[in-house]
Amino acid sequence: MADDSKNNSNGASGAIGSYAAVGDSFTEGVGDPGRDGAYIGWADRLAVLLSDQRDEGDFRYANLAVRGRLLDQIIEEQVPRAKELAPELITFCAGGNDILRPGSDPDAVAERYDAAVADLRESVGTVLLCTGFDTRDIPVLKHLRGKIATYTAHVRAIADRHDCPVLDLWSLKSVQDRRAWSDDRLHLSADGHTRVALRAGQVLGLPVPADPDQPWPPEAERSAAEARRDNIHWAREHLVPWIGRRLRGESSGDHVEPKRPDLLPL
């Protein structure tokens, strides 16, 4: 496991002053809508935790992530811009959409991911990497659990090799609750994003206001009929359109630009 203390060298006396988020829909914040129509997400929430460690106006944040992006697109479009911005911290969460593709090879994806991390580490002090989620109980994704586990093992090895802290989503048990996921069952809900942000803060050594793995409140048990109605609604509203886009070779991120392409005060 990477030595997180080595990467968090800013410490309490010189907290991180700039942060750029790189990735796909997970980092853009899909599933966590804000008032203005843009998504919020765990990276925006982590940026707030980071800014709280600085004087007002003394923290800058960029979010370059775009939904639907494959690893090679992220490397081509976002990594050069992240290096140009030269923040003190980058979160690099990528490869998930590649792993979802039929016939994809997690070993080959990890090889390209490794090269991108090495490139980022040449110019950025701290690069936080993200593992995959444990999809054991997630519809559609649970049959990909083996591929995701393989890719997650690669990410941890890459983190060790390049001395990067790890946001280990596989071990975050709280996001295995269905309430951590949005209606489409493919992206986190606002509560799910919040828990990921809290865990990321912990990894970076920040004081966080709550335990990301705290138990969810008790929930009324659903009947079989209610569960069946939910599944039918989900298939009609989310699964069928998702399959249709894949068959047409379309992406939810077509014509979408990064929501925060510059390092701006938060």
Side-chain angles (χ1 to χ4, degrees), residues 12-28:
S13 61
I16 291 168
S18 54
Y19 163 38
V22 171
D24 51 31
S25 60
F26 169 61
T27 301
E28 185 186 350

Side-chain angles (χ1 to χ4, degrees), residues 50-62:
L50 289 164
S51 69
D52 285 346
Q53 309 306 304
R54 306 280 296 199
D55 293 334
E56 187 173 352
D58 192 30
F59 175 81
R60 296 174 302 140
Y61 168 55

Side-chain angles (χ1 to χ4, degrees), residues 204-238:
L204 293 169
L206 304 178
V208 297
D211 177 5
D213 245 342
Q214 64 183 310
W216 291 83
E219 184 181 29
E221 193 169 332
R222 294 185 305 159
S223 68
E226 288 173 324
R228 189 160 53 250
R229 281 196 300 272
D230 284 350
N231 288 338
I232 291 170
H233 175 78
W234 165 73
R236 182 187 302 119
E237 297 297 322
H238 301 289

Side-chain angles (χ1 to χ4, degrees), residues 1-2 11 27 30 43 46 62 66 89 91 102-103 134 154 165 169 196 204 223 231 235-236 238 243 246 257 261 265:
M1 184 175 177
T27 301
V30 174
L46 172 61
V66 176
L89 168 69
T91 55
D134 185 350
H154 277 301
L169 302 172
V196 169
L204 293 169
S223 68
N231 288 338
R236 182 187 302 119
H238 301 289
I243 292 173
R246 291 172 66 85
E257 297 294 326

Side-chain angles (χ1 to χ4, degrees), residues 43-256:
D44 287 17
R45 296 177 185 277
L46 172 61
V48 171
L49 292 175
L50 289 164
S51 69
D52 285 346
Q53 309 306 304
R54 306 280 296 199
D55 293 334
E56 187 173 352
D58 192 30
F59 175 81
R60 296 174 302 140
Y61 168 55
N63 190 316
L64 308 177
V66 176
R67 71 200 75 165
R69 289 298 191 262
L70 298 168
L71 175 61
D72 289 344
Q73 293 173 311
I74 291 170
I75 292 172
E76 179 182 348
E77 300 168 5
Q78 298 178 34
V79 168
R81 177 57 177 161
K83 291 173 63 180
E84 181 183 3
L85 293 173
E88 294 173 32
L89 168 69
I90 284 178
T91 55
F92 183 60
C93 304
N97 289 321
D98 299 74
I99 300 301
L100 293 180
R101 293 205 157 190
S104 62
D105 179 358
D107 298 333
V109 176
E111 195 171 317
R112 303 196 303 276
Y113 182 95
D114 189 1
V117 173
D119 187 22
L120 286 170
R121 284 291 281 133
E122 289 182 358
S123 55
V124 179
T126 301
V127 181
L128 180 104
L129 308 185
C130 306
T131 74
F133 293 95
D134 185 350
T135 59
R136 175 179 52 193
D137 299 317
I138 302 175
V140 180
L141 302 182
K142 59 185 177 182
H143 70 286
L144 296 172
R145 190 181 185 219
K147 285 175 66 174
I148 295 169
T150 299
Y151 189 61
T152 286
H154 277 301
V155 169
R156 294 204 65 88
I158 291 165
D160 285 345
R161 191 151 52 245
H162 298 291
D163 198 21
C164 297
V166 179
L167 175 53
D168 187 354
L169 302 172
W170 189 278
S171 69
L172 187 59
K173 300 301 182 185
S174 63
V175 296
Q176 293 173 16
D177 188 287
R178 71 184 187 89
R179 287 169 286 182
W181 295 85
S182 66
D183 289 343
D184 69 8
R185 304 185 187 180
L186 294 170
H187 299 98
L188 293 177
S189 65
D191 285 338
H193 277 287
T194 297
R195 288 176 182 256
V196 169
L198 292 170
R199 175 53 58 85
Q202 287 180 332
V203 170
L204 293 169
L206 304 178
V208 297
D211 177 5
D213 245 342
Q214 64 183 310
W216 291 83
E219 184 181 29
E221 193 169 332
R222 294 185 305 159
S223 68
E226 288 173 324
R228 189 160 53 250
R229 281 196 300 272
D230 284 350
N231 288 338
I232 291 170
H233 175 78
W234 165 73
R236 182 187 302 119
E237 297 297 322
H238 301 289
L239 179 61
V240 171
W242 181 69
I243 292 173
R245 286 196 302 271
R246 291 172 66 85
L247 292 175
R248 294 190 298 271
E250 297 175 355
S251 167
S252 58
D254 289 346
H255 314 299
V256 175

